[in-house]
């Protein structure tokens, strides 16, 4: 008995400090460990588990929806709450004005009583005391005047506070009415949304039923179509398409050869005509007869010629009128056609030893493929920029390291280097623009631009296509301004 009484079964004494352990929800422990109890005859019975606790993710989602709903409700009620606070403030202000008015009335009565007492004392005393009483009476009168002014101010404040309270009361009533209207509208919208969702669900169910019915039929039809497609594919041999492609390539190659033969025949015909006229041809033009290429004067027999003692002059000839128009400045053995030369013959007159030889293109100068359409797309933009290198400034060679930007706009052209503007001029009759006519290997990529009479540039573009694009675009914008841009010595309609 003594030993059993002295045993401690793990219970803490009163003097022992009770240390709080980590709190854990009961439902977590219940879900983790089963619960048992002792039954009769020492049999252990397992208790039935309680209802299952929903997972934490669902609980958080549900609470988030409730918070969003409460936030929307509060946003609707905030207006009414603000007006109610303003109304309470106005009520407190009106009460404070009433208290101040009561205090002023009491002060007025006290001042009157004080004045009557002082006047009664003034008749009973003499000397210095009488003077002090008179001074006190004057001070009481001044205080009475100040109190009357203060009373007037309080009356004015009272009227203002009363008006404010009325306006706030009306505003709070309007806010409550707006809240009720919004609540009714929200309820109607919710009902309409529910009905719409119900209709959509019904339509989806009907669609699923129909798709199950028609799914088998569609599968059979697709199988039939696949069989038909396989049969058609087996009937048509892929070699036919390859044969057509090879035939097209052969025709293109044959057409190119025939065009070259045609050009050679035209040259031979021109040679025979000159032989009949007792003109011995010595020179011919070599190069593609199209925009963006270079035309070189070569000797017929292939021998090299020294052009240092020979004078050359290039002309453009109209195919219908056969008028010969001199190209001013084109006095070199090479010439790069510009957009004004498209659709015309190019002719070079070579003077040597007192005799004159003529070299002429066999056909008209052809345009660059797709260039006109490209320029038409650029016309829709207000301005276009090109990267250029300045070759000459007023006829003086310049270093070709710095890259400039040539801006072609609707009303003007601008040449700049970084943020520095080198030249900027509006389109005018004194402006000149054409391709470089001095020859050279890069003549097909170079352009001559004289913005005004005392300033001229020779600039080189990245490609010949960009050079021709810039010339055509600037001339198109200038025509819109009733101005024609041409080169030195070129003829213009006006």
């Amino acid at each position: 008995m003594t030993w059993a009484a002295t045993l401690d079964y793990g219970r803490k004494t009163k003097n022992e400090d009770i240390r709080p352990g980590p709190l854990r929800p009961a439902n977590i422990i219940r879900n983790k460990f089963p619960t048992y109890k002792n039954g009769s005859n020492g049999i252990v019975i397992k208790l039935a588990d309680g209802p299952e606790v929903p997972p934490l993710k669902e609980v958080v989602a549900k609470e988030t929806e409730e918070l969003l709903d409460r936030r929307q409700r509060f946003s609707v009620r905030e207006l009414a709450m603000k007006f109610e606070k303003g109304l309470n403030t106005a009520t407190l202000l009106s009460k404070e004005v009433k208290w101040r008015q009561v205090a002023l009335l009491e002060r007025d009565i006290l001042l009157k009583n004080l004045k009557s007492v002082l006047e009664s004392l003034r008749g009973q005393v003499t000397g210095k005391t009488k003077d002090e009483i008179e001074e006190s009476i004057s001070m009481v009168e001044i205080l009475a005047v100040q109190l009357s002014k203060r009373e007037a101010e309080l009356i004015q404040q009272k009227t203002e506070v009363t008006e404010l309270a009325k306006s706030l009361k009306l505003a709070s009533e309007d806010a409550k009415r707006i809240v009720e209207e919004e609540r009714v509208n929200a309820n109607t919208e919710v009902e309409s949304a529910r009905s719409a969702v119900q209709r959509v669900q019904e339509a989806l169910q009907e669609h699923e039923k129909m798709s199950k019915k028609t799914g088998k039929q569609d599968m059979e039809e697709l199988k039939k179509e696949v069989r038909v497609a396989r049969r058609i594919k087996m009937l048509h041999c892929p070699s036919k398409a390859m044969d057509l492609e090879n035939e097209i390539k052969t025709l293109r190659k044959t057409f190119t050869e025939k065009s070259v033969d045609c050009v050679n025949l035209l040259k031979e015909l021109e040679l025979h005509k000159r032989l009949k006229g007792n003109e011995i041809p010595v020179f011919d033009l070599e190069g593609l007869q199209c925009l963006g290429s270079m035309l070189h004067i070569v000797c017929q027999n292939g021998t090299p010629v020294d052009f240092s003692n020979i004078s050359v002059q290039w002309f453009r000839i109209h195919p219908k009128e056969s008028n010969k128009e001199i190209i001013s400045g084109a006095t070199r053995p090479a010439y790069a056609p510009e957009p004004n030369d498209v659709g015309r013959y190019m002719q070079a007159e070579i003077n040597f030893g007192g005799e004159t030889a003529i070299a002429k293109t066999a056909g008209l100068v052809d345009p660059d493929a797709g260039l006109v359409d490209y320029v038409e797309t650029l016309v829709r933009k207000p301005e276009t920029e090109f990267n250029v290198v300045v070759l000459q400034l007023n006829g003086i060679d310049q270093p070709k390291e710095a890259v400039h930007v040539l801006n072609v706009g609707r009303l003007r052209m601008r040449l700049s280097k970084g943020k520095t503007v080198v030249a900027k001029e509006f389109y005018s009759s004194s402006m000149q623009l054409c391709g470089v006519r001095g020859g050279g290997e890069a003549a097909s990529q170079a352009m001559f631009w004289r913005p005004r009479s005392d300033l001229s540039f020779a600039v080189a573009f990245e490609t010949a296509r960009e050079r021709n694009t810039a010339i055509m675009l600037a001339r198109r914008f200038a025509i819109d301004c009733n101005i024609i841009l041409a080169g030195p010595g070129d003829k213009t309609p006006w």
Side-chain angles (χ1 to χ4, degrees), residues 111-121:
L111 287 175
K112 287 181 180 179
N113 295 334
L114 181 60
K115 187 177 180 181
S116 62
V117 171
L118 290 174
E119 287 180 352
S120 62
L121 289 174

Side-chain angles (χ1 to χ4, degrees), residues 37-80:
K37 76 171 183 178
N38 293 325
S40 59
N41 300 325
I43 299 173
V44 179
I45 301 172
K46 180 181 177 181
L47 296 176
D49 293 334
E52 294 184 359
V53 180
L56 184 60
K57 187 175 181 180
E58 295 181 0
V59 174
V60 172
K62 186 176 181 181
E63 290 180 356
T64 305
E65 291 179 358
E66 292 179 356
L67 287 175
L68 290 174
D69 192 10
R70 289 179 183 177
R71 183 179 178 183
Q72 291 179 355
R73 293 177 182 176
F74 289 156
S75 63
V76 176
R77 296 175 183 174
E78 278 181 0
L79 186 63

Side-chain angles (χ1 to χ4, degrees), residues 295 297 311-316 325-338 341 346-350 434-439 488 490:
L295 296 176
I297 300 174
S311 63
V312 179
Q313 180 61 56
W314 290 83
F315 298 88
R316 61 172 68 96
E325 180 183 347
I326 188 171
I327 303 174
S328 178
T331 58
R332 297 292 180 90
Y335 177 75
E338 64 165 76
D341 300 328
M346 304 307 300
Q347 178 177 309
E349 292 185 358
I350 304 100
C434 63
V436 170
R437 299 170 178 176
D490 291 346

Side-chain angles (χ1 to χ4, degrees), residues 293-330:
S293 64
M294 288 285 295
L295 296 176
H296 298 272
I297 300 174
V298 295
C299 189
Q300 282 279 351
N301 53 13
T303 58
V305 181
D306 183 13
F307 287 93
S308 60
N309 298 324
I310 299 175
S311 63
V312 179
Q313 180 61 56
W314 290 83
F315 298 88
R316 61 172 68 96
I317 300 174
H318 198 277
K320 294 182 179 179
E321 300 175 358
S322 298
N323 293 331
K324 187 167 63 174
E325 180 183 347
I326 188 171
I327 303 174
S328 178

Side-chain angles (χ1 to χ4, degrees), residues 61-334:
K62 186 176 181 181
E63 290 180 356
T64 305
E65 291 179 358
E66 292 179 356
L67 287 175
L68 290 174
D69 192 10
R70 289 179 183 177
R71 183 179 178 183
Q72 291 179 355
R73 293 177 182 176
F74 289 156
S75 63
V76 176
R77 296 175 183 174
E78 278 181 0
L79 186 63
M81 291 174 67
K82 288 180 180 180
F83 281 115
E84 288 177 358
K85 288 180 180 179
L87 183 60
N88 294 332
T89 305
T91 306
L92 292 175
L93 288 173
S94 63
K95 289 180 180 179
E96 185 178 355
V97 170
K98 289 180 181 179
W99 294 339
R100 289 182 181 179
Q101 189 175 5
V102 172
L104 286 174
L105 291 174
E106 292 177 355
R107 291 175 186 174
D108 194 8
I109 293 170
L110 290 174
L111 287 175
K112 287 181 180 179
N113 295 334
L114 181 60
K115 187 177 180 181
S116 62
V117 171
L118 290 174
E119 287 180 352
S120 62
L121 289 174
R122 185 176 57 181
Q124 297 176 3
V125 297
T126 58
K128 187 177 180 180
T129 306
K130 186 176 181 179
D131 295 336
E132 291 177 355
I133 290 172
E134 289 179 353
E135 186 177 356
S136 298
I137 291 170
S138 63
M139 290 176 65
V140 168
E141 290 177 353
I142 292 169
L143 185 58
V145 172
Q146 291 179 356
L147 287 174
S148 63
K149 291 181 180 179
R150 183 61 178 168
E151 184 179 0
E153 292 177 358
L154 286 173
I155 292 170
Q156 186 177 359
Q157 290 180 1
K158 182 180 179 181
T159 55
E160 292 177 356
V161 169
T162 305
E163 292 177 356
L164 180 62
K166 290 180 180 178
S167 62
L168 288 173
K169 188 175 181 180
L170 292 174
S172 64
E173 292 177 357
D174 292 339
K176 289 179 181 179
R177 180 175 53 79
I178 292 169
V179 168
E180 292 296 331
E181 290 178 356
E182 291 294 332
R183 186 178 298 168
V184 172
N185 293 332
N187 291 330
T188 55
E189 290 179 358
V190 168
E191 292 296 331
S192 62
R194 286 178 180 173
S195 61
V197 169
Q198 188 176 0
R199 290 196 298 271
V200 170
Q201 290 178 352
E202 293 176 356
L204 287 173
Q205 291 176 358
E206 292 179 359
H207 180 70
E208 289 178 358
K209 293 178 181 178
M210 294 295 294
S211 61
K212 289 180 180 179
K213 293 180 181 178
T214 57
K216 295 181 180 179
Q217 298 177 359
D218 295 338
M219 186 62 68
E220 294 295 331
E221 291 178 357
L222 287 173
K223 288 180 179 179
K224 291 180 181 179
E225 290 179 359
V226 168
R227 293 193 195 99
V228 173
R230 287 178 179 175
R231 186 174 57 83
I232 293 172
K233 186 177 180 180
M234 292 176 66
L235 291 174
H236 291 276
C237 298
S239 59
K240 292 182 179 180
M242 294 176 66
D243 294 340
L244 288 174
E245 291 179 359
N246 294 329
E247 188 176 354
I248 291 171
K249 289 180 181 179
T250 306
L251 288 173
R252 286 179 179 175
K253 187 176 180 181
T254 306
F255 178 75
T256 305
E257 293 175 355
K258 294 296 181 183
S259 62
V260 173
D261 295 339
C262 182
V263 171
N264 294 330
L265 288 173
L266 289 173
K267 289 182 179 180
E268 291 180 3
L269 181 62
E270 187 70 20
L271 178 62
H272 287 296
K273 288 181 179 179
R274 289 178 184 177
L275 288 173
K276 290 181 181 179
N278 295 325
E279 294 182 3
I280 302 174
V282 180
F283 299 98
D284 195 5
L285 297 181
E286 185 181 40
L288 296 176
Q289 301 174 10
C290 63
L291 188 62
S293 64
M294 288 285 295
L295 296 176
H296 298 272
I297 300 174
V298 295
C299 189
Q300 282 279 351
N301 53 13
T303 58
V305 181
D306 183 13
F307 287 93
S308 60
N309 298 324
I310 299 175
S311 63
V312 179
Q313 180 61 56
W314 290 83
F315 298 88
R316 61 172 68 96
I317 300 174
H318 198 277
K320 294 182 179 179
E321 300 175 358
S322 298
N323 293 331
K324 187 167 63 174
E325 180 183 347
I326 188 171
I327 303 174
S328 178
T331 58
R332 297 292 180 90

